[in-house]
Structures are given as C-alpha cells and as structure tokens.
Amino acid sequence: MTEVDNHTEQGSAQHWWFNDGFYRRARWILVGYTALLGLWMVTGWGGDAVVTAADDIGEVIAAAGAAAACLARSFTRDASRKRFWRLLGLSCLSWMVGQAVATVYETVLHKAIPFPGAPDVFFLLSTPLAIAAVLSIFDGPVGWTSRLRSLVDACIVGSSALFVSWAVLLEGMFHTDGAFLEKTIAIAYPVGDLVAISVVLIAGGRGRIGERIALGWISFGLLSIAVADSGFALLSQSDATTATTLCNLGWVLGFGMIAMAALAPAPEMPRLIGSGERNLVPYIPFLLALVLAGRFALIGEGLQGFLLLDGVVAVGFVCVRQVLTLRENHILAYGLEDKVRARTKELADSEERFRNLISNVSDVIAMVDTEGNGLYLSPSVATVLGFEPEELLGVNLFSLVHPEDISQVAEALEASTGREGPGQIVEVRVRHADGSWRHSETVASKVFSNGVHEGFLLTTRDVTARKILEEQLAHQAFHDPLTGLANRALFCDRLDVSVARVARTGDTVSVVFIDLDEFKVVNDTLGHRHGDAFLREIATRLRTCVRGGDTVARLGG
C-alpha cells in the first residue's frame, strides 16, 4: 500500500473520532458531565455515601477518558508524537489507577484512604510521565541539551514558585502536626504540578500559534489539576477527610481538558526546537522570588532553613541554565558555520560545474543588456565567430547581425516581451571575425532580476553547414545533376506559372524543344565520359542564348 493510500485509509478509519463535529460534541459532553457531577455534589442527592461514590467514580471516568483519548491518538501519529501521546496517556492512566484504588477504599471497603498510601504512588507517578511526554517533542540540532535546558527551565519555575509558596503558605502547613513523610508528600503534589505546567508553558512558547492549541488544552488541564492538588494538600493538613467540590471538579475538568487536547482536530503536536534565550518564562517566578528575598532582607529577616536551601537550588538551576544556553548557542553557532561552509562549497562546486558545462557547450551563450551590449560570452564564441570573449564585452552584439536580418531579431525580441522563459527561434546571418557571414540559429530569452527585466540570454548555434546542405538538396531536387539545368519538375512548375500569367496579361509564351540527333553515336564511339562533357557544353551554350528570365531545362536522361 502506498503512503497516500495509507493516509486515506487511516483518515477514513478515524473520520468519526478526530474531526470537528465529534470535537464540538465532546466539549459539550465535558461541560455537561462536569456540571452534572458538580450539581450532584452540591445538592448531596442520595446521601453522603452515594455522593462520595459518584465523585470517586466520576473522577475515574474522567481520567480513563483522557487516557483512552491520548492512547487512541498515539496509534495515528509518527514515532515522536506517538511517544508524546503514549506517555501522556500513561500519565492519565497512572492517575486513574490511583483514583481507582482510592475508590475501592472509600466505596467498597468503606475505609479512609491511607495517606500516604498506594494511591499516592500512582498519583505522584503521573507527574513525571506528563513531564517526559512534553520533553519528548523537543527536537533540533542541540538534541539532549535542548531537552535538558527545558527541564531546567521547569525546575527554575518550580523551585522559584516553591520559594514564594513556602514563604506565603506552605511553611505554615509544614509546621502543623503530622508525620514528616505526610507533609512532604502533600507538598510534592503542587510542586510537581508546577514543574509540569512550567514545561508545558515553555513548550507552548516555542511552538507556532496553530500548534499551541493542544498544548493550551494541556496547560489549562494541568493547571486545573494543580489547583485541585493544592486544595487537597491544604485539606489533608487541616484534618479534612472529604475533598471539596472545587478539588473534585478540578480533577474532572483537568482530565477533560487533556482529553480535548487529544481529540482536537488541530495541527499535530509540534517538534519543538530550543533556541537562545527568547523564552523568559523561567525568569518571571525567579524574579518574584528575588523580590520576596529582598523584602526579607529589608525587614531584617534572613533566609533560613528550607527557604535558604530552596533559594540556593533555584540560583543553581539558573546557573546551570546559563551554561546549557551557552553550550546550546555554541553548538548552534558551529552548526551554522558548518552549514555555511557546506553551502559555500556547494555553491563553488555548482559554479565549477556550470563553468565546465558552459566551456564545453558548442553553442555560443551570451548575456546582453536591454540595449544589446555584451555582458558575458562563453568561450565557444572563439570557435563559432572567431572572436575572443573579451573582445565583445561592452560591444553591441546586434551590430554583428546582417543588416537584412536585423528586423527579424527585433521582431523575435518584441515577441518575447512580457513573457519569461525561452523566446522565439530566429535564423539570422552573423558576421565572422574574418568578415564572412555565418548562418546562425539564435534563441533569445528574457532575463529578470527581482521582477525587473535586465536583458536577454542569447543562445546561438552555427548552422552554416546545414544551410549549405539544405541549399544543395533544394538545388538537386529541381536541377539536373549532370548539366545543372532545370529538371522536368522545375520546368513544369515554371511552365504552369507562365501559362497562368498569360491568362492574366494576354502575353504569349514560347516553348522550344531541342533534341540531339545521333547522340548515341557519341557515347558509343567516344564513350559516356565524352558524351557527358558534350551535354554540359550544350547546356552552357544554351544558357548564353536565352534571357535571364527564360528557363533552360533538360527533360531527358
């Protein structure tokens, strides 16, 4: 099956799945599903047990839908994008498994969800899978450096955001009652989500506008999940046992948006290329952290404990980013130099091939301006016309054309006006260096530069030998080869013309038929050689006896 047939078959197989109609319906399904679930939890219909079961199962369905959409998308794309959708699908699937285990605890076993417990393993695993998915679509001449720098950018955002969050909110959470592992895992949720969102934002900043649609859905989806995770972390540290409606709807809406990204009939996910320092996203939260650190310094409070450690880590990431950026620029610069050298060599080789081609072409190739002055002539002009190329530079080449043929050249050039490409073929006589006239066949093509007509490209071929041969063939077709007199065909033609003229003018026409008696005796006694000489002599004498407009023909032989 050809590639075209394969795309056609593939397109028809997924027509109902990845198209605008299904995409619009899926958006309404997401809105309706989220609204219905939110209304159910707000009204408390069926009691706490039913609401909890509906909430847990609804979140499992949302994550499962996102995983199914991403994995289905992975079966219709090339290797790099397939890896992206597959990793993102596995991220959603990991979260779904964690939620399914949590649902079993709450709905089936009627037990509190252990924290930390088995669900947290799958919940936390989904974040690095999502980050790996986005990093998989980075590509370019810098390879792993670009991916690593993008990850470092995300770490800068994450550590800087953690610095601000810790100073404003999380430090109070961490100093509440509870085990160290519980508090650490609770904080790991929003931190991991911040890093994931940062990677997506960095990736979106490097894609084309049309390609950011899917990344936009994913960004909003991860943001919704991050808000839900942060709310869950706050509730966990405040002894809340049931997630609020905001947290539950945040997870449902977040995975719904990821499903929308997979279903969107927009351009495929871009292969992103890291380039320089145009992406300022990592420095925004870092500057906020610096401002907050400056505030602590102004009020006399130094950085201590976790804030000091996190600040050092953030600065370290910034330094690593600068090193990676320098290396990336270094690689790009060397790559550009290699491309320039390769391109220069390619142009030199192309010019050499063109020069060799022109040098070995028997036709004369000339470049003239609009006035006909020579700008370039190929070396073959020396063979064809006897001039050295340098002799004709700046010389009006039309002056070499026979005066009787110059009008044909003008007509040919006029016929090519307003039309690019090969012009008309014109046969003219061109003066040789020795003063003789050579028959030539010339093609004039217009030369344009930036849409402006700058001259003509003349390709001239010497056809003198051909013209002589044509004249010889034409002469042989209408003349007797022995005597050079007109043959029967030419005689009949001129006789028809004369008779037609007589009919118009009333003049008379005369035909004289001459026979040589006993000519056979000459051939038999003296030989055919002398007989042919005798015929030629007769023909010569007859020509001297007639006027210029009369025709002497040989009908016999």
Side-chain angles (χ1 to χ4, degrees):
M1 180 183 295
T2 64
E3 184 178 355
V4 175
D5 295 336
N6 183 46
H7 285 312
T8 303
E9 180 178 325
Q10 189 181 66
S12 61
Q14 61 184 9
H15 176 72
W16 69 274
W17 183 257
F18 298 110
N19 60 76
D20 291 327
F22 184 81
Y23 178 63
R24 287 192 294 268
R25 288 192 294 271
R27 283 186 299 181
W28 284 112
I29 291 174
L30 172 62
V31 172
Y33 180 75
T34 306
L36 179 61
L37 192 61
L39 183 62
W40 196 338
M41 288 185 289
V42 169
T43 58
W45 182 78
D48 292 341
V50 175
V51 171
T52 300
D55 171 30
D56 291 340
I57 296 173
E59 293 170 15
V60 171
I61 293 175
C70 292
L71 292 176
R73 188 85 170 195
S74 71
F75 287 107
T76 61
R77 297 296 177 256
D78 60 38
S80 176
R81 292 155 188 161
K82 180 184 295 185
R83 185 164 56 250
F84 168 82
W85 291 113
R86 186 169 295 170
L87 287 171
L88 189 60
L90 291 176
S91 172
C92 298
L93 187 63
S94 177
W95 199 96
M96 184 207 74
V97 172
Q99 182 59 33
V101 174
T103 301
V104 171
Y105 273 103
E106 280 194 327
T107 305
V108 179
L109 301 179
H110 301 289
K111 295 181 180 180
I113 302 174
F115 182 79
D120 296 294
V121 176
F122 296 100
F123 289 148
L124 293 175
L125 179 61
S126 66
T127 300
L129 286 173
I131 294 174
V134 179
L135 292 178
S136 70
I137 59 177
F138 279 81
D139 196 9
V142 292
W144 65 268
T145 305
S146 178
R147 295 186 177 92
L148 184 58
R149 187 170 70 84
S150 301
L151 180 60
V152 171
D153 287 347
C155 291
I156 293 174
V157 175
S159 58
S160 301
L162 180 60
F163 185 94
V164 176
S165 301
W166 184 271
V168 176
L169 177 65
L170 296 180
E171 184 176 12
M173 291 173 50
F174 198 81
H175 289 304
T176 58
D177 296 334
F180 177 82
L181 181 61
E182 294 179 6
K183 292 182 288 186
T184 302
I185 292 178
I187 295 174
Y189 280 100
V191 172
D193 291 330
L194 281 174
V195 174
I197 294 172
S198 302
V199 172
V200 176
L201 291 176
I202 292 168
R206 296 180 186 175
R208 292 188 294 269
I209 294 178
E211 296 170 330
R212 297 175 188 172
I213 297 177
L215 287 174
W217 277 116
I218 295 172
S219 298
F220 285 115
L222 293 178
L223 179 62
S224 179
I225 293 173
V227 171
D229 287 341
S230 300
F232 179 77
L234 289 171
L235 292 170
S236 298
Q237 295 303 312
S238 61
D239 296 330
T241 57
T242 303
T244 63
T245 301
L246 177 62
C247 296
N248 298 330
L249 295 182
W251 285 317
V252 172
L253 193 59
F255 286 108
M257 290 180 179
I258 293 176
M260 291 298 98
L263 296 175
E268 298 178 2
M269 293 302 300
R271 302 180 71 180
L272 304 173
I273 301 177
S275 55
E277 298 192 46
R278 293 184 302 165
N279 197 332
L280 300 179
V281 173
Y283 293 110
I284 297 175
F286 183 73
L287 290 175
L288 292 176
L290 286 180
V291 171
L292 188 60
R295 176 180 175 278
F296 283 131
L298 289 176
I299 63 177
E301 296 182 8
L303 299 181
Q304 298 178 355
F306 182 80
L307 277 182
L308 179 61
L309 176 63
D310 185 65
V312 171
V313 170
V315 172
F317 279 131
V318 171
C319 295
V320 172
R321 184 187 194 274
Q322 294 303 114
V323 172
L324 292 174
T325 300
L326 290 175
R327 183 182 186 279
E328 186 177 359
N329 292 338
H330 181 72
I331 295 175
L332 289 173
Y334 269 92
L336 181 60
E337 291 178 2
D338 290 340
K339 288 182 178 179
V340 170
R341 284 193 294 267
R343 182 58 178 165
T344 303
K345 184 178 183 304
E346 181 182 345
L347 290 175
D349 293 342
S350 177
E351 183 179 354
E352 183 66 23
R353 287 193 299 268
F354 178 75
R355 186 180 294 110
N356 292 334
L357 177 64
I358 296 299
S359 300
N360 291 284
V361 170
S362 59
D363 296 349
V364 178
I365 298 177
M367 182 79 70
V368 300
D369 59 19
T370 54
E371 301 298 326
N373 300 315
L375 303 176
Y376 168 82
L377 291 101
S378 63
S380 56
V381 70
T383 304
V384 176
L385 297 178
F387 295 99
E388 292 299 326
E390 296 77 12
E391 297 181 59
L392 299 178
L393 293 179
V395 177
N396 193 304
L397 298 187
F398 297 150
S399 64
L400 301 179
V401 179
H402 196 282
E404 297 178 359
D405 298 337
I406 193 66
S407 60
Q408 300 181 43
V409 176
E411 290 176 2
L413 296 180
E414 183 66 24
S416 65
T417 300
R419 181 183 65 196
E420 297 187 37
Q424 290 187 346
I425 300 176
V426 58
E427 292 187 3
V428 296
R429 287 165 289 178
V430 181
R431 181 168 56 85
H432 194 273
D434 60 10
S436 63
W437 294 101
R438 310 290 294 180
H439 292 275
S440 71
E441 187 178 82
T442 300
V443 178
S445 304
K446 300 186 70 173
V447 176
F448 290 86
S449 178
N450 298 324
V452 179
H453 178 213
E454 293 192 344
F456 297 92
L457 178 66
L458 306 177
T459 305
T460 302
R461 173 178 301 176
D462 186 0
V463 294
T464 303
R466 190 188 74 187
K467 294 294 291 186
I468 293 175
L469 180 59
E470 289 176 353
E471 291 174 358
Q472 291 176 349
L473 292 175
H475 186 273
Q476 291 175 5
F478 295 101
H479 292 80
D480 176 56
L482 177 61
T483 63
L485 298 177
N487 60 13
R488 183 185 298 271
L490 182 55
F491 170 76
C492 293
D493 178 72
R494 292 188 177 179
L495 181 60
D496 291 339
V497 172
S498 299
V499 171
R501 185 176 65 250
V502 168
R504 293 195 309 272
T505 63
D507 294 337
T508 59
V509 60
S510 300
V511 178
V512 179
F513 183 82
I514 300 175
D515 187 25
L516 299 179
D517 295 334
E518 302 298 333
F519 178 69
K520 184 175 181 300
V521 176
V522 177
N523 285 332
D524 292 343
T525 57
L526 300 178
H528 288 279
R529 180 162 165 263
H530 287 81
D532 292 343
F534 176 72
L535 290 175
R536 285 193 292 270
E537 181 63 23
I538 294 296
T540 301
R541 294 186 181 186
L542 288 175
R543 286 196 190 96
T544 62
C545 299
V546 298
R547 297 169 300 181
D550 296 333
T551 299
V552 180
R554 181 189 178 198
L555 303 183

